[in-house]
Amino acid sequence: MQSKLLAHRMGDAAVALMSGMRTVRCPHPGCVVRIRYRCVDPDEASRLTALATDHTRHGAKQ
């Protein structure tokens, strides 16, 4: 599982370097949510980061 996560992060880093994009992933194990953005102001970047890292906002079953 760790090697798969590492491979995803390496791929994200490559995309970021080539296109100027930033990728934020959900840290919850098994969650595939990721948000990519570029050319946004700091407030919007903070909002997108909060959305991606808060699993209860995008994927938790109640």
Side-chain angles (χ1 to χ4, degrees):
M1 183 68 163
Q2 281 290 49
S3 62
K4 188 174 182 178
L5 180 61
L6 181 60
H8 283 296
R9 295 203 182 217
M10 293 291 286
D12 289 345
V15 168
L17 285 174
M18 294 188 305
S19 66
M21 296 179 89
R22 168 133 165 100
T23 301
V24 183
R25 291 181 170 275
C26 178
H28 190 271
C31 186
V32 296
V33 169
R34 67 180 169 196
I35 295 177
R36 289 188 175 155
Y37 62 86
R38 70 175 160 190
C39 300
V40 298
D41 61 42
D43 291 333
E44 181 67 3
S46 295
R47 188 187 74 77
L48 292 170
T49 300
L51 177 62
T53 57
D54 185 0
H55 188 68
T56 60
R57 291 176 65 186
H58 63 258
K61 302 286 186 214
Q62 294 181 353

Coordinates of all heavy atoms in Angstrom, one line a residue:
M1 N 0.8 -1.2 0.0 CA 0.0 0.0 0.0 C 0.9 1.3 0.0 O 0.6 2.2 -0.7 CB -0.9 0.0 1.2 CG -1.9 1.1 1.3 SD -3.1 1.0 0.0 CE -4.3 2.1 0.6
Q2 N 2.0 1.3 0.8 CA 2.9 2.4 0.8 C 3.5 2.7 -0.5 O 3.6 3.8 -0.9 CB 4.0 2.2 1.9 CG 3.6 2.4 3.3 CD 3.3 3.9 3.6 OE1 2.6 4.6 2.8 NE2 3.8 4.4 4.6
S3 N 3.9 1.6 -1.3 CA 4.5 1.9 -2.6 C 3.5 2.4 -3.6 O 3.9 3.3 -4.4 CB 5.1 0.6 -3.1 OG 4.1 -0.4 -3.3
K4 N 2.3 2.1 -3.5 CA 1.2 2.6 -4.4 C 1.0 4.1 -4.1 O 0.9 4.9 -5.0 CB -0.1 1.8 -4.2 CG -1.1 2.2 -5.2 CD -2.3 1.3 -5.1 CE -3.3 1.6 -6.1 NZ -4.5 0.8 -6.1
L5 N 1.0 4.4 -2.8 CA 0.8 5.8 -2.4 C 2.0 6.7 -2.9 O 1.9 7.8 -3.4 CB 0.7 5.9 -0.9 CG 0.5 7.3 -0.3 CD1 -0.8 8.0 -0.8 CD2 0.4 7.3 1.2
L6 N 3.2 6.1 -2.7 CA 4.4 6.8 -3.1 C 4.4 7.0 -4.6 O 4.8 8.1 -5.1 CB 5.7 6.0 -2.7 CG 7.0 6.6 -3.1 CD1 7.1 8.0 -2.4 CD2 8.1 5.7 -2.7
A7 N 4.0 6.0 -5.4 CA 3.9 6.1 -6.8 C 2.9 7.2 -7.2 O 3.2 8.0 -8.2 CB 3.5 4.8 -7.5
H8 N 1.8 7.3 -6.6 CA 0.8 8.4 -6.8 C 1.4 9.8 -6.6 O 1.2 10.7 -7.3 CB -0.5 8.2 -6.0 CG -1.4 7.2 -6.5 ND1 -2.0 7.2 -7.7 CD2 -1.8 6.0 -6.0 CE1 -2.7 6.2 -7.9 NE2 -2.6 5.4 -6.9
R9 N 2.1 9.9 -5.5 CA 2.7 11.2 -5.1 C 3.8 11.6 -6.1 O 3.9 12.7 -6.4 CB 3.2 11.2 -3.7 CG 2.0 11.0 -2.7 CD 2.3 11.5 -1.4 NE 1.1 11.2 -0.6 CZ 0.6 12.0 0.3 NH1 1.3 13.1 0.6 NH2 -0.5 11.7 1.0
M10 N 4.6 10.6 -6.5 CA 5.6 10.9 -7.5 C 5.0 11.4 -8.8 O 5.5 12.3 -9.4 CB 6.5 9.7 -7.7 CG 7.3 9.2 -6.6 SD 8.6 10.4 -6.2 CE 9.7 10.0 -7.5
G11 N 3.9 10.7 -9.2 CA 3.2 11.2 -10.4 C 2.6 12.6 -10.3 O 2.7 13.4 -11.2
D12 N 2.1 12.9 -9.1 CA 1.6 14.2 -8.8 C 2.7 15.2 -8.9 O 2.5 16.3 -9.4 CB 0.9 14.3 -7.4 CG -0.4 13.6 -7.4 OD1 -0.9 13.2 -8.4 OD2 -0.8 13.3 -6.2
A13 N 3.9 14.9 -8.4 CA 5.0 15.8 -8.4 C 5.4 16.1 -9.9 O 5.7 17.2 -10.2 CB 6.2 15.3 -7.6
A14 N 5.4 15.0 -10.7 CA 5.8 15.2 -12.1 C 4.8 16.1 -12.8 O 5.2 17.0 -13.6 CB 5.9 13.8 -12.8
V15 N 3.5 15.9 -12.6 CA 2.5 16.7 -13.2 C 2.7 18.2 -12.8 O 2.6 19.1 -13.6 CB 1.1 16.2 -12.9 CG1 0.0 17.2 -13.3 CG2 0.9 14.9 -13.6
A16 N 2.9 18.4 -11.5 CA 3.1 19.7 -10.9 C 4.3 20.4 -11.6 O 4.2 21.6 -11.9 CB 3.3 19.7 -9.4
L17 N 5.4 19.7 -11.7 CA 6.6 20.4 -12.3 C 6.3 20.7 -13.8 O 6.8 21.8 -14.3 CB 7.8 19.4 -12.2 CG 8.4 19.3 -10.8 CD1 9.5 18.2 -10.8 CD2 9.0 20.6 -10.4
M18 N 5.7 19.9 -14.5 CA 5.5 20.1 -16.0 C 4.4 21.2 -16.2 O 4.4 21.9 -17.2 CB 5.1 18.8 -16.7 CG 6.3 17.9 -16.7 SD 6.1 16.4 -17.7 CE 4.6 15.7 -17.1
S19 N 3.4 21.3 -15.4 CA 2.2 22.2 -15.7 C 2.0 23.3 -14.7 O 1.1 24.1 -14.9 CB 1.0 21.3 -15.8 OG 0.7 20.8 -14.5
G20 N 2.8 23.4 -13.7 CA 2.6 24.4 -12.7 C 1.4 24.2 -11.8 O 0.9 25.1 -11.2
M21 N 0.9 23.0 -11.7 CA -0.2 22.6 -10.9 C 0.2 22.1 -9.5 O 1.3 21.6 -9.4 CB -1.1 21.6 -11.6 CG -1.7 22.0 -12.9 SD -2.6 20.7 -13.7 CE -4.2 21.0 -12.9
R22 N -0.7 22.3 -8.6 CA -0.5 21.7 -7.3 C -1.6 20.7 -7.0 O -2.8 21.0 -7.4 CB -0.6 22.9 -6.2 CG -0.7 22.4 -4.8 CD 0.2 23.1 -3.9 NE -0.2 22.9 -2.6 CZ 0.4 22.0 -1.8 NH1 1.4 21.3 -2.2 NH2 0.0 21.8 -0.5
T23 N -1.3 19.6 -6.4 CA -2.3 18.5 -6.2 C -2.3 18.3 -4.7 O -1.3 18.1 -4.0 CB -1.9 17.2 -6.9 OG1 -1.8 17.4 -8.3 CG2 -2.9 16.1 -6.6
V24 N -3.6 18.3 -4.1 CA -3.8 18.0 -2.7 C -4.7 16.7 -2.7 O -5.7 16.7 -3.3 CB -4.5 19.2 -2.0 CG1 -4.6 18.9 -0.5 CG2 -3.7 20.4 -2.2
R25 N -4.2 15.7 -1.9 CA -4.9 14.5 -1.8 C -5.6 14.4 -0.4 O -5.1 14.9 0.6 CB -4.0 13.3 -1.9 CG -3.4 13.1 -3.2 CD -2.5 11.9 -3.3 NE -2.1 11.6 -4.6 CZ -2.9 10.8 -5.4 NH1 -4.0 10.3 -5.0 NH2 -2.5 10.6 -6.6
C26 N -6.6 13.6 -0.3 CA -7.2 13.2 1.0 C -6.3 12.3 1.7 O -5.9 11.3 1.1 CB -8.6 12.6 0.8 SG -9.4 12.1 2.3
P27 N -6.0 12.5 3.0 CA -5.1 11.6 3.7 C -5.8 10.3 4.2 O -5.1 9.4 4.7 CB -4.6 12.4 4.8 CG -5.7 13.4 5.1 CD -6.3 13.7 3.7
H28 N -7.1 10.2 4.0 CA -7.8 9.0 4.5 C -7.4 7.8 3.7 O -7.5 7.9 2.4 CB -9.3 9.3 4.4 CG -10.1 8.3 5.1 ND1 -10.6 7.1 4.4 CD2 -10.6 8.2 6.4 CE1 -11.3 6.4 5.3 NE2 -11.3 7.0 6.5
P29 N -7.1 6.7 4.3 CA -6.7 5.5 3.5 C -7.8 5.0 2.6 O -8.9 4.9 3.1 CB -6.4 4.5 4.6 CG -6.1 5.2 5.9 CD -7.0 6.5 5.7
G30 N -7.5 4.8 1.4 CA -8.4 4.3 0.4 C -9.3 5.3 -0.3 O -10.0 5.0 -1.2
C31 N -9.2 6.6 0.1 CA -9.9 7.6 -0.5 C -9.1 8.1 -1.7 O -7.9 8.3 -1.7 CB -10.2 8.8 0.4 SG -11.2 10.1 -0.3
V32 N -9.8 8.3 -2.8 CA -9.2 8.6 -4.1 C -9.4 10.1 -4.5 O -9.0 10.5 -5.6 CB -9.6 7.7 -5.2 CG1 -9.2 6.3 -5.0 CG2 -11.1 7.9 -5.4
V33 N -9.9 10.9 -3.6 CA -10.1 12.3 -3.9 C -8.8 13.1 -3.9 O -8.0 12.9 -3.1 CB -11.1 13.0 -2.8 CG1 -11.1 14.5 -2.9 CG2 -12.5 12.4 -2.9
R34 N -8.7 13.8 -5.0 CA -7.5 14.7 -5.1 C -8.0 15.9 -5.9 O -8.9 15.9 -6.8 CB -6.4 14.1 -5.8 CG -6.5 13.7 -7.2 CD -5.3 13.1 -7.8 NE -5.6 12.5 -9.1 CZ -4.9 11.6 -9.7 NH1 -3.8 11.2 -9.1 NH2 -5.2 11.2 -10.8
I35 N -7.5 17.1 -5.5 CA -7.8 18.3 -6.1 C -6.6 18.9 -6.7 O -5.6 19.1 -6.0 CB -8.5 19.3 -5.1 CG1 -9.8 18.7 -4.6 CG2 -8.7 20.7 -5.7 CD1 -10.5 19.5 -3.6
R36 N -6.6 19.3 -8.0 CA -5.5 19.9 -8.6 C -5.9 21.4 -9.0 O -7.0 21.6 -9.4 CB -5.1 19.2 -9.9 CG -4.5 17.9 -9.7 CD -4.0 17.3 -11.0 NE -3.3 16.1 -10.7 CZ -3.1 15.1 -11.5 NH1 -3.6 15.2 -12.7 NH2 -2.4 14.0 -11.2
Y37 N -5.0 22.3 -8.7 CA -5.2 23.7 -9.1 C -4.0 24.4 -9.5 O -2.9 23.9 -9.2 CB -5.9 24.4 -7.9 CG -5.1 24.4 -6.6 CD1 -4.2 25.5 -6.4 CD2 -5.2 23.5 -5.6 CE1 -3.4 25.5 -5.3 CE2 -4.5 23.6 -4.5 CZ -3.6 24.6 -4.3 OH -2.8 24.7 -3.1
R38 N -4.2 25.5 -10.1 CA -3.0 26.4 -10.4 C -3.6 27.8 -10.7 O -4.8 28.0 -10.9 CB -2.3 25.9 -11.7 CG -3.0 26.1 -12.9 CD -2.2 25.7 -14.1 NE -3.1 25.4 -15.2 CZ -2.7 24.9 -16.4 NH1 -1.5 24.6 -16.5 NH2 -3.6 24.6 -17.3
C39 N -2.8 28.8 -10.5 CA -3.2 30.2 -10.7 C -4.4 30.6 -9.9 O -5.3 31.2 -10.4 CB -3.4 30.4 -12.2 SG -2.0 30.1 -13.2
V40 N -4.4 30.2 -8.6 CA -5.5 30.7 -7.7 C -4.8 31.5 -6.6 O -3.6 31.4 -6.3 CB -6.2 29.5 -7.1 CG1 -6.9 28.7 -8.1 CG2 -5.4 28.7 -6.2
D41 N -5.6 32.4 -6.0 CA -5.1 33.3 -4.9 C -5.0 32.4 -3.7 O -5.5 31.3 -3.6 CB -6.0 34.5 -4.7 CG -7.4 34.1 -4.3 OD1 -7.6 33.2 -3.5 OD2 -8.3 34.8 -4.8
P42 N -4.2 32.9 -2.7 CA -4.0 32.1 -1.5 C -5.2 31.7 -0.7 O -5.3 30.6 -0.1 CB -3.1 33.1 -0.6 CG -2.4 33.9 -1.6 CD -3.4 34.1 -2.7
D43 N -6.3 32.6 -0.7 CA -7.5 32.2 0.0 C -8.2 31.0 -0.7 O -8.7 30.1 0.0 CB -8.5 33.4 0.0 CG -8.0 34.5 0.9 OD1 -7.2 34.2 1.9 OD2 -8.4 35.7 0.7
E44 N -8.2 31.0 -2.0 CA -8.8 29.9 -2.7 C -8.0 28.6 -2.5 O -8.5 27.5 -2.4 CB -9.0 30.2 -4.2 CG -9.6 29.1 -5.0 CD -11.1 28.8 -4.7 OE1 -11.7 29.5 -3.8 OE2 -11.6 27.9 -5.3
A45 N -6.7 28.7 -2.5 CA -5.8 27.6 -2.3 C -6.1 27.0 -0.9 O -6.1 25.8 -0.8 CB -4.3 28.0 -2.5
S46 N -6.2 27.8 0.1 CA -6.6 27.3 1.4 C -7.9 26.6 1.5 O -8.0 25.6 2.1 CB -6.6 28.5 2.4 OG -5.3 29.1 2.5
R47 N -8.9 27.2 0.8 CA -10.2 26.6 0.7 C -10.2 25.2 0.1 O -10.7 24.2 0.5 CB -11.2 27.5 0.0 CG -12.6 27.0 0.1 CD -13.6 27.9 -0.8 NE -13.4 27.6 -2.2 CZ -13.9 26.5 -2.8 NH1 -14.6 25.6 -2.1 NH2 -13.7 26.3 -4.1
L48 N -9.5 25.1 -1.1 CA -9.4 23.8 -1.8 C -8.6 22.8 -1.0 O -8.9 21.6 -0.9 CB -8.7 24.0 -3.1 CG -9.5 24.8 -4.1 CD1 -8.7 25.2 -5.3 CD2 -10.8 24.1 -4.5
T49 N -7.5 23.2 -0.3 CA -6.8 22.3 0.6 C -7.6 21.8 1.7 O -7.6 20.6 2.0 CB -5.5 23.0 1.1 OG1 -4.7 23.4 0.0 CG2 -4.7 22.1 2.0
A50 N -8.4 22.7 2.3 CA -9.3 22.2 3.4 C -10.3 21.3 2.9 O -10.6 20.3 3.6 CB -10.0 23.5 4.0
L51 N -10.9 21.5 1.7 CA -11.9 20.6 1.2 C -11.2 19.2 0.9 O -11.8 18.2 1.2 CB -12.4 21.2 -0.1 CG -13.4 20.3 -0.9 CD1 -14.7 20.0 0.0 CD2 -13.8 20.9 -2.2
A52 N -10.1 19.2 0.3 CA -9.4 17.9 0.0 C -9.0 17.1 1.2 O -9.1 15.9 1.2 CB -8.2 18.2 -0.9
T53 N -8.6 17.8 2.2 CA -8.0 17.1 3.4 C -9.1 16.7 4.5 O -8.8 16.0 5.4 CB -6.9 17.8 4.0 OG1 -7.3 19.1 4.4 CG2 -5.7 18.0 3.1
D54 N -10.3 17.2 4.3 CA -11.3 16.9 5.3 C -12.2 15.9 4.7 O -13.2 16.1 4.0 CB -12.1 18.2 5.6 CG -13.2 18.0 6.7 OD1 -13.3 16.8 7.2 OD2 -13.9 18.9 7.0
H55 N -12.0 14.6 5.0 CA -12.7 13.5 4.5 C -14.2 13.5 4.8 O -15.0 13.1 4.0 CB -12.1 12.2 5.0 CG -12.6 11.0 4.3 ND1 -12.4 10.7 3.0 CD2 -13.4 10.0 4.8 CE1 -13.0 9.5 2.7 NE2 -13.6 9.1 3.7
T56 N -14.6 14.1 5.9 CA -16.0 14.2 6.2 C -16.8 15.1 5.2 O -18.0 14.9 5.1 CB -16.2 14.7 7.6 OG1 -15.7 16.0 7.8 CG2 -15.6 13.8 8.7
R57 N -16.1 16.0 4.6 CA -16.8 16.9 3.6 C -17.0 16.3 2.3 O -17.8 16.8 1.5 CB -16.0 18.2 3.5 CG -16.0 19.0 4.8 CD -15.2 20.2 4.7 NE -15.7 21.2 3.7 CZ -15.0 22.3 3.4 NH1 -13.9 22.6 4.0 NH2 -15.5 23.1 2.5
H58 N -16.3 15.2 1.9 CA -16.4 14.7 0.6 C -16.6 13.2 0.4 O -16.8 12.7 -0.7 CB -15.2 15.1 -0.3 CG -13.9 14.5 0.2 ND1 -13.0 15.3 0.9 CD2 -13.4 13.3 0.1 CE1 -12.0 14.5 1.2 NE2 -12.2 13.3 0.7
G59 N -16.5 12.5 1.5 CA -16.6 11.0 1.3 C -17.1 10.2 2.5 O -17.4 9.0 2.3
A60 N -17.2 10.7 3.6 CA -17.6 9.9 4.8 C -19.1 9.5 4.7 O -19.9 10.4 4.4 CB -17.3 10.6 6.1
K61 N -19.3 8.3 5.0 CA -20.7 7.8 5.0 C -21.2 8.0 6.5 O -20.6 7.7 7.4 CB -20.8 6.3 4.7 CG -20.3 6.0 3.3 CD -21.2 6.5 2.2 CE -20.7 6.0 0.9 NZ -21.0 6.9 -0.2
Q62 N -22.5 8.5 6.6 CA -23.0 8.7 7.9 C -24.0 7.7 8.3 O -24.7 7.1 7.5 CB -23.6 10.1 8.0 CG -22.6 11.2 7.9 CD -23.2 12.6 8.0 OE1 -24.4 12.7 8.1 NE2 -22.3 13.6 8.0

